[in-house]
Amino acid sequence: MLCQFDYQSPAQLLKNRIILVTGAGAGIGRVAAKTFAAQGATVILLGRTISKLEAVYDEILAQGSPEPAIYPLNLEGASWPDYQAMADRLYEEFGRLDGVLHNAGILGRISPVQSYNPELWQQVMQVNFNGPVMMQQAITALLAESEDASVIFTSSSVGRKGKAFWGAYAASKFAVEGFSQVLAQELENTTSIRVNTLNPGATRTQMRCDAYPAENPSTVRAPEEIMGTYLYLMGADSKGITGQMFNAQPDL
Ligand code: NAP
């Protein structure tokens, strides 16, 4: 599996790049948004809780990075017209996108498939898979306006090898992996858009706490420690690499 854990980015790697981050209000998405902004990117913070997005907006300004934008959207309730409206709005404001980190996600429940609540199953598929697919359909034309665009889908270890009780979450991440491969091939020869998946690995966030409540959080890496591969994939050093599966941590 490919990994760029120790990647050292040149200063201002993402200068003048316009990058959309979903689930930017908390966890890995929050830190990725701040990291991209620190490298010079104008980041569009997308998520469902405006107060959290505003807090990240303030943190980005406080670190002296380019002013971000906020786009509130709940992937669970959003449908195709919402994604089209989003793409139209971004086109008016920015004219293009240079990258997207599809990061928003929910865990659902750790439970046997036999007793998995069907409504919750649909929710997980909507937020982790169907929503990102519709969003990607809506923004591909915007990414095609860039000379060098990067699409990163967030995967998981259980999206590459099935594991008992991970139910809809595992299924949604397998779906993401498959979709990413299909899209990467479709775009490979006609655009300058690369499409890859990235498995963060065990990372100290609320989702990790929910999945492993008995774990001592200090035994897993913080989001700040795993940004090497995120930067590598978002910046020009990964140009030409597409349809690949990456890990953010070396020991996965
Ligand atoms: P997290 O701390 O729970 O953060 C998830 C983010 O997604 C939050 O900003 C959340 O917004 C947003 N979100 C959830 N539902 C949404 C919806 N319906 N619409 C819009 N945004 C929504 O999780 P994380 O650990 O940072 O996970 C980030 C990604 O990494 C996920 O795709 C996850 O599957 C993946 N991952 C994480 C780990 C890990 O160990 N942490 C391991 C493997 C993969 P709110 O804060 O407003 O709820």
Side-chain angles (χ1 to χ4, degrees), residues 90-163:
L90 295 182
Y91 184 75
E92 279 164 27
E93 190 70 26
F94 300 105
R96 70 171 202 282
L97 273 179
D98 300 301
V100 55
L101 173 62
H102 291 283
N103 162 85
I106 54 173
L107 180 65
R109 275 200 72 188
I110 306 292
S111 118
V113 168
Q114 194 56 34
S115 55
Y116 209 101
N117 179 308
E119 275 176 30
L120 181 60
W121 187 284
Q122 284 196 9
Q123 262 174 32
V124 173
M125 292 306 289
Q126 197 64 22
V127 175
N128 293 7
F129 179 61
N130 296 326
V133 167
M134 284 188 279
M135 182 180 297
Q136 186 55 48
Q137 286 178 300
I139 63 174
T140 294
L142 274 170
L143 289 156
E145 296 290 330
S146 169
E147 286 175 4
D148 168 30
S150 177
V151 176
I152 305 174
F153 283 101
T154 305
S155 187
S156 166
S157 300
V158 298
R160 292 174 179 170
K161 189 172 191 310
K163 196 172 172 190

Side-chain angles (χ1 to χ4, degrees), residues 21 24 28-41 43 45 55-60 63 65 224 227:
V21 178
I28 296 167
R30 167 180 164 269
V31 172
K34 290 176 64 178
T35 303
F36 296 156
Q39 290 294 330
V43 180
L45 308 167
V56 179
Y57 176 99
D58 289 343
E59 287 171 3
I60 287 174
Q63 70 187 18
S65 300
E224 288 81 356
M227 285 294 124

Side-chain angles (χ1 to χ4, degrees), residues 10-74:
Q12 293 293 291
L13 172 77
L14 303 176
K15 191 169 166 44
N16 297 327
R17 282 171 76 78
I18 298 158
I19 294 171
L20 175 64
V21 178
T22 75
I28 296 167
R30 167 180 164 269
V31 172
K34 290 176 64 178
T35 303
F36 296 156
Q39 290 294 330
T42 297
V43 180
I44 300 150
L45 308 167
L46 186 144
R48 64 177 170 181
T49 310
I50 295 176
S51 57
K52 291 185 183 178
L53 299 174
E54 286 175 344
V56 179
Y57 176 99
D58 289 343
E59 287 171 3
I60 287 174
L61 284 189
Q63 70 187 18
S65 300
E67 184 180 7
I70 290 179
Y71 199 93
L73 192 71
N74 187 333

